[in-house]
Amino acid sequence: MEILVIPSVNEARADDLVNKTVIVIDVLRATSTMLTALTHGCAAIYPVETVLQAKHLHQSGWLLGGERACRKIPGFDLGNSPLEYTDARIAGQTIVMTTTNGTRAIQKAHKASAILAGSLLNGKACAAEAAALNKDIVILCSGTQDVFALEDGVCAGLIVEELARMAGSSGIECDICDFGLSMQYAYKQVQSDLTQALLHCSNGRRLSKLGFREDVVYCSQANTISLVPVVREGKLLATSLSRLS
């Protein structure tokens, strides 16, 4: 099993993603928010790149969610804080979402065999789901403005650690790229206090200054959710691929 970790969406080449299982990560905050929404009963999420696409896809009764520069987009129902998506009003709702980096990364992976949304919150479950698909795995870190973001790398390291452990226990050879190995070592270094690691990283500091410190604390929790969002016909669903096939 080959595992490739890509530092940011800008560095992803189409050939790297074709026919692979792709895990898209945007810890602060898109994939953490999508996971939270689906965990709290959201029916489906349509991830799109632009505000215009979101408005065109939007239908009566659906909700619009997303951010630009970390703030809720004017006229949208919701921003990109995962804590907004615990409200009872999202239960059973379809949400069209656009974010600066995370939804773009999901769209970039459209030629993958399978697309999963990963975060620290569901890292272990995400690794297990990806391993069960028996394909080479690409972990695509969204990054921020096409630059690597530490929180995504740490999450990739968690997932690599879990994949390596599962491969070892099954006697499967695991070929991890050098960047993936470095992120695995980084995760091991900070795993005892992920909250402080995220609060001290660039995006954690920026979000805290903007009043979203609690988002950072929430998103720093490891393996608290067993759900794995998957892309099916252009939308994220709260169903495992094994049950969708």
Side-chain angles (χ1 to χ4, degrees):
M1 178 172 61
E2 291 187 1
I3 302 172
L4 173 66
V5 180
I6 301 176
S8 71
V9 63
N10 190 50
E11 298 179 56
R13 300 179 303 175
D15 290 347
D16 291 331
L17 309 178
V18 175
N19 202 34
K20 306 287 179 62
T21 295
V22 177
I23 303 171
V24 174
I25 296 171
D26 188 351
V27 172
L28 296 175
R29 298 166 286 172
T31 53
S32 299
T33 296
M34 294 169 186
L35 174 63
T36 301
L38 292 167
T39 301
H40 285 83
C42 170
I45 298 171
Y46 283 92
V48 298
E49 284 195 51
T50 70
V51 174
L52 187 60
Q53 287 172 332
K55 290 180 176 179
H56 281 169
L57 185 60
H58 178 247
Q59 296 183 18
S60 177
W62 292 6
L63 298 174
L64 283 170
E67 58 75 32
R68 288 297 183 269
C70 300
R71 299 290 192 183
K72 185 174 79 170
I73 298 165
F76 275 41
D77 302 290
L78 299 158
N80 190 32
S81 167
L83 302 180
E84 290 182 83
Y85 292 78
T86 61
D87 194 284
R89 68 171 169 157
I90 69 160
Q93 294 288 333
T94 295
I95 301 172
V96 183
M97 181 175 288
T98 178
T99 67
T100 307
N101 304 291
T103 57
R104 183 161 62 99
I106 292 173
Q107 293 301 319
K108 188 90 176 255
H110 72 279
K111 291 185 178 180
S113 175
I115 305 172
L116 316 180
S119 68
L120 287 169
L121 298 167
N122 71 338
K124 184 175 182 178
C126 205
E129 188 71 30
L133 295 172
N134 293 317
K135 295 268 190 181
D136 289 337
I137 296 169
V138 177
I139 302 174
L140 176 55
C141 301
S142 296
T144 300
Q145 302 296 342
D146 298 331
V147 176
F148 169 71
L150 178 61
E151 68 277 5
D152 291 346
V154 169
C155 180
L158 183 160
I159 295 172
V160 168
E161 174 77 1
E162 291 294 335
L163 288 169
R165 182 186 59 78
M166 287 183 283
S169 63
S170 302
I172 298 171
E173 185 175 349
C174 198
D175 185 2
I176 306 167
C177 72
D178 282 357
F179 183 71
L181 284 172
S182 67
M183 292 302 97
Q184 182 182 10
Y185 299 147
Y187 165 70
K188 288 181 178 180
Q189 183 69 26
V190 300
Q191 64 179 316
S192 63
D193 199 344
L194 289 168
T195 297
Q196 286 304 308
L198 263 64
L199 285 171
H200 288 151
C201 73
S202 178
N203 282 328
R205 296 195 307 271
R206 180 161 57 99
L207 285 167
S208 294
K209 288 179 181 178
L210 291 170
F212 295 111
R213 186 181 188 278
E214 290 307 308
D215 283 6
V216 180
V217 173
Y218 171 82
C219 293
S220 71
Q221 301 173 90
N223 303 324
T224 58
I225 299 175
S226 59
L227 183 151
V228 181
V230 300
V231 174
R232 184 77 165 184
E233 297 179 349
K235 58 183 179 289
L236 280 158
L237 301 172
T239 312
S240 75
L241 285 169
S242 60
R243 292 191 290 274
L244 285 169
S245 58

